[in-house]
Amino acid sequence: MTQNNNEYSASSIQALEGLEAVRRRPGMYIGSTDTKGLHHLVWEVVDNAIDEHLAGHCTDVYVKILKDNSIFVKDNGRGIPVDIHEKLQKSALEVVMTVLHAGGKFDKDSYKVSGGLHGVGVSCVNALSSYVRVEVERDGKKYMQEYQRGKPIADVAQIGETSNRGTSVIFTPDFEIFETLIYNYDILAHRLRELSYLNSGLNIYLTDEREEADGRSDHFYSEGGLLEFAKYLDQTRTPLCEKPIYVKGKQENVEVEVALQYNTGYQENVFSYVNNINTREGGTHVSGFRRALARTFKQYGDSNGLFSKLKIEISGDDFREGLTGIVSVKVPEPQFKGQTKGELGNSEVVAIVSRIVGDALTAYLDQNPKEARRIIEKVILAATAREAARKARELVQRKNVLSGGGLPGKLADCSSKSPAESELFLVEGDSAGGTAKQGRNRHFQAILPLRGKILNVEKALEYKIYENEEIKNMFTALGVNFFEDEDGVRRLNLNKLRYHKVVIMCDADVDGSHITTLILTFFYRYMVELIERGHLFIARPPLYLVKKGKEARYAWNDKERKEIAIEIGGGKEDSVHFQRYKGLGEMNAEQLWETTMDPARRILSRVTIENATEASYYFSILMGDDVPPRREFIETHAHYAKIDI
Ligand code: 0RA
């Protein structure tokens, strides 16, 4: 054998091993094999199409969920090259599909901006699919190759002629790999909408061809990009100024695009992206943005004498109350850090974003004095309200101390004094609370019933939070309090946390999930540390009781219900009786214990920061701000902060 041949066979063996490695440890490549990993396959393919768009070659992307939960993705980019790869002596198409990390471009000049967090390439999708079919239209010809579990069924074949260009991929996720094979339309739609805002000028079509979907489809397209994204996010709120502020610039190969808008609400909603990936934990780009915001507005307010009547110090937070913002950067070599690798680490980005945003904001304020004044007035109100909230917080905490840590009357505490083994169930409604009290193991399980809908913290001023009975009860029951860190930022002290498991237990219906979302939002906004440490859980009550004669079993979804019906019905599904549980109230104490509270049998989901951000994101879109009686509040509560605007 010649040297060359040796090299060829060696590298091709390596290639095979490559995809085997993906199948052996899928989590390392796509994060997980649950529903998240399943959807990740779509993003890998779509990312490639977006790269083509960013390189100026692609205007349309079609995504279809096929009848059998296979996915079809088609783009009109350049098409995966099909010429013979010199070193590997096979079609580049086959190399891209079967060699790990070969998904990117071969020439080093075109840097891949989309993807990047995983960015593992289409070969991973191939490795984790039981079947893949790729078609490429390029240079007047149409090519095709098929694969089974990552291995080509045959060589790349020319199957016709064409006047189009582009790539289409059909893949069937492998049942040997994934825990679930069912795609969720809303997850795809949510992300594709986001991608259309982040990549203006790109048409993205989504279609669901599954039977039960009723031909559901969407077309996402944004001409104005982030500017329209800001409007979309604030569609249910009242903006302070007519148009969002839009910033775009480039420096040292870092592209910066920002849109921001103030509304009459109180929450900060800043979404950030690096190379189209959502950076949930922020990072250097967000720091640069915040810095520019505080510096520019402070300077403007100072030099126009707008802060002169204010008795309190303005803090960085005050510039972000009621702010909706999107910060999107494109960085050639992003470094991700943090717990979930969702934080940008590149230090040079702080100054770049800060400069570009600062310059644009300064120009905006100079050119729009009316808007500038309105924003500064809002900042002053925020500072005043922050001071009021601090006092309210102190009051709640002082009361806790004075009453000797007295626990809320509604709490049925557990007898154990060891937080590590203790659990607190937050239960929707007094009646379900009563059942839970009877059903629980009182040694380590405590019950706190929450009445009706708890306060929507997305809409409420902070001081309101401390006046809300249900929320006060949660604070005292949990034994946590706030302190201010050296930056004056509110933090949660978990040293005296009385339960290491906090379990939200709501009905398995629409109202129940609404309440779960409200509670999640509260924890996300005010006790995010509790989520970060993994203390927050959601209880999953069963959906069905399946009965035949004396035999009764529980089912948590329709698939289980069917399986149980077949099993206990002896093949005859009709002979069994179902009871659909709509609420916790339909279960007696024993049933509630068996299905939802007993550690040996229950299903608990641990809440992640991602779940909570998602909840808050939906809230920020779905829920509008009531125009609040803010002035009135300040007049009655903030005697110490006299302002005159
Ligand atoms: C390798 C190189 C080039 C494009 C692609 C791959 C590519 C991959 C996918 C996957 C889905 N759609 C895609 N579109 C393109 C560069 C092509 C060139 O330089 O002509």
Side-chain angles (χ1 to χ4, degrees):
M1 258 194 237
T2 66
Q3 186 75 25
N4 254 347
N5 264 341
N6 264 338
E7 235 177 67
Y8 167 57
S9 54
S11 50
S12 62
I13 286 166
Q14 207 184 11
L16 278 180
E17 272 179 4
L19 289 198
E20 263 318 306
V22 180
R23 290 181 62 80
R24 265 199 309 275
R25 298 175 156 231
M28 288 221 351
Y29 299 88
I30 55 159
S32 63
T33 55
D34 55 12
T35 185
K36 190 151 182 245
L38 183 79
H39 288 78
H40 192 95
L41 299 181
V42 181
W43 310 135
E44 279 303 329
V45 184
V46 168
D47 278 352
N48 279 281
I50 294 202
D51 276 342
E52 289 297 293
H53 170 72
L54 290 171
H57 302 289
C58 171
T59 56
D60 302 283
V61 184
Y62 296 83
V63 179
K64 275 187 203 167
I65 311 172
L66 304 180
K67 277 204 170 62
D68 65 344
N69 276 288
S70 292
I71 296 287
F72 169 85
V73 180
K74 182 180 167 76
D75 64 64
N76 64 350
R78 284 169 292 185
I80 303 176
V82 288
D83 46 324
I84 299 298
H85 190 270
E86 263 173 47
K87 203 165 135 217
L88 298 174
Q89 280 302 302
K90 47 187 161 193
S91 168
L93 173 59
E94 183 169 329
V95 177
V96 166
M97 293 305 294
T98 58
V99 179
L100 204 54
H101 295 298
K105 319 298 181 231
F106 300 127
D107 61 307
K108 292 197 184 69
D109 302 335
S110 66
Y111 70 87
K112 186 177 158 69
V113 277
S114 159
L117 185 52
H118 295 277
V120 287
V122 275
S123 62
C124 278
V125 178
N126 195 14
L128 302 175
S129 296
S130 54
Y131 170 79
V132 170
R133 179 189 171 95
V134 182
E135 286 184 17
V136 170
E137 292 173 279
R138 217 180 139 103
D139 306 325
K141 298 191 182 73
K142 195 167 184 173
Y143 304 88
M144 186 277 286
Q145 190 169 39
E146 293 172 296
Y147 316 82
Q148 262 170 347
R149 305 212 150 88
K151 299 196 172 80
I153 297 176
D155 286 345
V156 174
Q158 191 196 318
I159 56 167
E161 311 213 320
T162 178
S163 53
N164 299 329
R165 247 176 358 131
T167 307
S168 73
V169 179
I170 290 177
F171 64 87
T172 312
D174 195 345
F175 62 87
E176 289 178 4
I177 304 278
F178 291 96
E179 293 147 42
T180 170
L181 298 169
I182 317 275
Y183 275 99
N184 179 325
Y185 186 92
D186 293 318
I187 293 178
L188 296 179
H190 177 71
R191 172 68 175 151
L192 292 174
R193 177 183 298 108
E194 184 177 73
L195 282 171
S196 79
Y197 285 124
L198 291 166
N199 300 282
S200 60
L202 179 64
N203 285 292
I204 305 179
Y205 300 87
L206 174 63
T207 314
D208 194 338
E209 294 191 341
R210 291 173 297 188
E211 236 126 64
E212 61 281 10
D214 247 352
R216 200 170 163 195
S217 71
D218 275 291
H219 172 204
F220 304 112
Y221 175 82
S222 167
E223 189 69 49
L226 295 193
L227 197 94
E228 283 167 20
F229 199 1
K231 281 192 194 157
Y232 171 78
L233 289 171
D234 266 357
Q235 64 192 324
T236 60
R237 289 185 250 266
T238 316
L240 225 52
C241 310
E242 210 176 306
K243 252 174 64 183
I245 304 171
Y246 180 74
V247 180
K248 192 174 174 146
K250 184 173 177 177
Q251 203 179 318
E252 292 161 46
N253 258 331
V254 176
E255 285 175 47
V256 179
E257 199 186 351
V258 170
L260 64 128
Q261 161 160 282
Y262 285 92
N263 58 62
T264 55
Y266 313 112
Q267 292 300 336
E268 173 188 1
N269 281 299
V270 172
F271 298 96
S272 64
Y273 300 86
V274 175
N275 302 350
N276 287 332
I277 295 163
N278 187 198
T279 33
R280 288 172 202 278
E281 296 168 64
T284 50
H285 54 329
V286 178
S287 300
F289 169 71
R290 290 181 165 180
R291 237 179 244 193
L293 211 64
R295 186 186 68 233
T296 318
F297 284 125
K298 180 92 176 38
Q299 227 162 45
Y300 184 87
D302 280 341
S303 56
N304 289 284
L306 299 175
F307 295 135
S308 56
K309 301 234 170 68
L310 191 67
K311 300 277 186 295
I312 44 176
E313 187 89 27
I314 302 255
S315 102
D317 293 353
D318 301 330
F319 296 99
R320 301 196 302 272
E321 221 188 76
L323 170 73
T324 293
I326 307 120
V327 181
S328 169
V329 295
K330 305 259 162 73
V331 182
E333 279 176 55
Q335 308 292 318
F336 292 101
K337 51 178 210 178
Q339 271 183 344
T340 56
K341 295 268 171 259
E343 181 184 348
L344 182 66
N346 303 49
S347 54
E348 73 280 7
V349 174
V350 181
I352 296 175
V353 175
S354 172
R355 187 161 334 131
I356 292 175
V357 174
D359 289 352
L361 273 183
T362 305
Y364 176 88
L365 295 176
D366 285 341
Q367 286 155 21
N368 300 276
K370 238 179 40 218
E371 281 76 9
R373 192 165 269 270
R374 222 174 282 160
I375 295 171
I376 298 289
E377 281 172 7
K378 164 116 190 150
V379 171
I380 291 173
L381 282 171
T384 313
R386 178 173 48 82
E387 190 61 16
R390 197 178 58 78
K391 299 246 153 142
R393 217 151 62 208
E394 272 177 10
L395 205 69
V396 176
Q397 275 164 23
R398 206 166 326 128
K399 268 198 201 138
N400 283 353
V401 176
L402 285 180
S403 55
L407 292 165
K410 290 174 78 179
L411 174 75
D413 206 5
C414 54
S415 51
S416 167
K417 294 284 167 258
S418 154
E421 68 165 355
S422 299
E423 305 178 344
L424 175 66
F425 281 79
L426 304 170
V427 186
E428 168 189 357
D430 285 334
S431 114
T435 317
K437 274 180 206 174
Q438 285 169 24
R440 68 176 171 151
N441 177 331
R442 65 174 60 239
H443 173 64
F444 66 95
Q445 293 180 319
I447 309 293
L448 180 66
L450 300 175
R451 201 179 319 121
K453 302 219 158 163
I454 81 156
L455 187 69
N456 176 6
V457 303
E458 289 285 323
K459 279 199 209 168
L461 267 170
E462 189 177 341
Y463 88 99
K464 278 271 181 211
I465 304 289
Y466 309 112
E467 288 182 353
N468 181 278
E469 211 51 46
E470 313 298 311
I471 287 178
K472 269 200 291 197
N473 283 345
M474 280 198 265
F475 271 104
T476 28
L478 288 169
V480 297
N481 53 31
F482 292 117
F483 67 98
E484 277 178 33
D485 69 8
E486 44 305 346
D487 296 329
V489 176
R490 188 193 71 213
R491 299 239 182 259
L492 194 67
N493 180 355
L494 287 179
N495 291 343
K496 297 212 174 108
L497 179 66
R498 303 179 60 247
Y499 315 91
H500 283 190
K501 280 204 173 82
V502 179
V503 185
I504 304 171
M505 188 160 74
C506 292
D507 289 345
D509 64 0
V510 178
D511 269 354
S513 73
H514 186 85
I515 293 168
T516 303
T517 314
L518 279 170
I519 300 176
L520 271 183
T521 310
F522 162 72
F523 278 100
Y524 174 64
R525 291 290 186 187
Y526 289 93
M527 297 199 190
V528 71
E529 292 89 342
L530 202 93
I531 302 176
E532 283 169 350
R533 302 268 185 93
H535 293 307
L536 190 62
F537 296 82
I538 296 174
R540 301 283 178 208
L543 286 184
Y544 300 101
L545 179 65
V546 189
K547 254 174 146 167
K548 188 188 175 185
K550 280 211 180 101
E551 178 139 32
R553 304 249 301 265
Y554 301 99
W556 271 260
N557 55 44
D558 288 297
K559 189 165 160 256
E560 264 179 27
R561 187 198 61 169
K562 263 207 165 111
E563 283 165 4
I564 295 170
I566 290 169
E567 198 187 316
I568 67 176
K572 277 185 282 183
E573 240 188 277
D574 310 344
S575 66
V576 297
H577 173 78
F578 303 119
Q579 183 188 343
R580 167 84 164 90
Y581 284 127
K582 289 197 205 66
L584 301 170
E586 290 178 31
M587 277 185 261
N588 62 33
E590 194 188 328
Q591 288 170 322
L592 192 60
W593 163 255
E594 283 179 0
T595 60
T596 317
M597 300 180 74
D598 176 7
R601 285 174 283 185
R602 70 187 177 193
I603 300 178
L604 283 191
S605 321
R606 179 178 259 130
V607 175
T608 65
I609 281 292
E610 248 177 320
N611 302 147
T613 333
E614 199 81 348
S616 156
Y617 181 75
Y618 279 113
F619 252 88
S620 71
I621 290 173
L622 297 176
M623 301 295 212
D625 298 316
D626 292 334
V627 180
R630 184 161 191 167
R631 237 159 235 287
E632 191 187 319
F633 146 64
I634 288 176
E635 277 158 21
T636 47
H637 289 80
H639 310 292
Y640 45 85
K642 289 253 179 319
I643 49 163
D644 173 24
I645 23 176

